[in-house]
Amino acid sequence: VSAGQNYSLNSSFQLKPSPTSFTPNTGSWNTYITVNGNSLYNSSLYFDEVFISNSNSYSNSISGSIPSSLLKKKFKIYIVSGGEKIEVPGGYFTMTGLTVNPLTQVKYFSGSLITFTGTGFNPNSNYNKIIIDGETIVSNSYTSMQFYLPTTISSGYFPIIVTNSLDSVK
C-alpha cells in the first residue's frame, strides 16, 4: 500500500532454466527430442539456430520434432529464455544416415521405372533426389525413390547418386 493505493506485482522474477539432458541423441527427421530440466516454463527450444517450439506449461520438459528443412548431420540443442541461450548438456544430436537397398537388376532400358528403397529419406520429398548422367530428378515420395530412366539416355554404365539433401549414396 502506498499513498492509499494498493499495488500488486505479479511475475516479478523467473528462475533461470536449468536443462539437464535430452533424449534421444540420434534419429532422423520427425524424431521428437525431449529436453529435461528445471524451470523450463516460458522457454524456447532451438536446434542450433532453428526455432522449434515454446514451453508454456509448468513442466520439467520441452520437446519438438526435427523439421525436414534442417539439413545438418549434427546439431546442438539449446533452451532460450529471457534472451539467454543455454546449451543443453549431452553434446550433439546426430542424424542417422541414408541407406539405400541394392537394385534387384543391373540392366535397365531407357524409359524403365526404377525404384530405390531404404531408410533415411527426407519426409519432404523435394529434398530427395536422384542424379544420373548429370541430370537431377526430384523424387515424388519420401518412403522410396522412384524415377523413370530418361528415354534420351544413351547405352552405357551410369552411376546413380541418391540423396536426401543431407547424405548421398552412390
Side-chain angles (χ1 to χ4, degrees):
V1 176
S2 175
Q5 298 290 322
N6 287 328
Y7 295 94
S8 176
L9 179 61
N10 293 321
S11 300
S12 58
F13 71 93
Q14 180 179 340
L15 294 175
K16 180 179 175 181
S18 177
T20 56
S21 64
F22 67 89
T23 58
N25 59 6
T26 61
S28 192
W29 294 283
N30 291 337
T31 297
Y32 266 86
I33 298 174
T34 300
V35 173
N36 296 304
N38 297 304
S39 305
L40 299 180
Y41 175 75
N42 227 11
S43 297
S44 299
L45 177 63
Y46 281 79
F47 299 160
D48 273 349
E49 306 304 320
V50 178
F51 169 78
I52 302 300
S53 66
N54 286 319
S55 171
N56 294 318
S57 65
Y58 290 100
S59 172
N60 288 328
S61 67
I62 181 174
S63 59
S65 66
I66 302 169
S68 60
S69 59
L70 186 61
L71 301 177
K72 294 184 173 191
K73 194 67 179 167
K74 287 182 160 186
F75 56 88
K76 292 206 177 239
I77 300 172
Y78 297 92
I79 296 294
V80 176
S81 180
E84 184 178 358
K85 188 174 185 179
I86 303 165
E87 182 179 329
V88 178
Y92 287 93
F93 181 92
T94 304
M95 296 287 282
T96 53
L98 173 67
T99 60
V100 178
N101 298 324
L103 293 172
T104 56
Q105 60 189 73
V106 292
K107 292 184 181 183
Y108 292 89
F109 294 104
S110 62
S112 295
L113 177 65
I114 298 177
T115 302
F116 287 101
T117 59
T119 60
F121 295 117
N122 193 306
N124 181 335
S125 61
N126 291 325
Y127 290 109
N128 298 319
K129 298 175 178 134
I130 297 162
I131 303 165
I132 182 168
D133 194 28
E135 183 177 343
T136 300
I137 303 165
V138 177
S139 177
N140 60 357
S141 173
Y142 65 90
T143 57
S144 65
M145 296 184 72
Q146 294 185 328
F147 73 103
Y148 287 96
L149 195 57
T151 57
T152 56
I153 199 165
S154 59
S155 294
Y157 170 80
F158 295 97
I160 298 173
I161 298 170
V162 177
T163 181
N164 61 8
S165 297
L166 180 61
D167 290 321
S168 297
V169 174
K170 187 173 182 181

